[in-house]
Amino acid sequence: MEFELTPIVTEKATKLTDKLNRYTFRVSPEANKYEIQNMVEKLYGVHVVKVNTMIVRGKNRSRYTRTGIIKGATSDYKKAIITIADGETIDYYSNL
């Protein structure tokens, strides 16, 4: 079964990559740590040392328009922080 695996490229995630060799991905909510590890190893050809996952809760949003206030929310998602072996790197743009 294939799952979604999208890299998260933010300032905070880039700091983790530079300092601790950890990469951040947005993954499918039903994926577990073993499936995430196997998918990253298969896609990027690296050795995964550790996988940490978390559920990121959505935020409430509202904006003011001519017709009144529109309220909504962003959706929840699962985030995985992958620690890979020393000396290895992941190039996000290699498999585009």
Side-chain angles (χ1 to χ4, degrees):
M1 178 181 253
E2 287 297 318
F3 295 106
E4 172 192 0
L5 185 75
T6 310
I8 297 175
V9 184
T10 59
E11 209 170 318
K12 193 172 186 177
T14 307
K15 283 182 184 178
L16 272 178
T17 300
D18 293 340
K19 289 186 177 184
L20 302 172
N21 209 23
R22 293 181 181 172
Y23 293 85
T24 309
F25 294 94
R26 183 176 179 153
V27 296
S28 299
E30 58 272 357
N32 63 32
K33 291 183 180 187
Y34 300 109
E35 293 166 338
I36 294 167
Q37 178 179 352
N38 291 334
M39 191 181 315
V40 169
E41 287 178 346
K42 185 176 79 171
L43 278 176
Y44 295 105
V46 294
H47 181 257
V48 175
V49 175
K50 191 172 170 184
V51 177
N52 297 95
T53 60
M54 63 192 79
I55 301 293
V56 179
R57 299 291 173 210
K59 298 178 182 175
N60 291 325
R61 301 285 187 193
S62 65
R63 66 177 189 256
Y64 298 94
T65 63
R66 191 181 316 172
T67 58
I69 299 173
I70 297 176
K71 293 187 177 185
T74 59
S75 58
D76 298 348
Y77 65 93
K78 189 172 197 176
K79 181 163 63 171
I81 299 176
I82 312 293
T83 306
I84 61 173
D86 289 336
E88 295 183 346
T89 60
I90 291 178
D91 183 17
Y92 291 135
Y93 307 106
S94 64
N95 61 352
L96 290 178

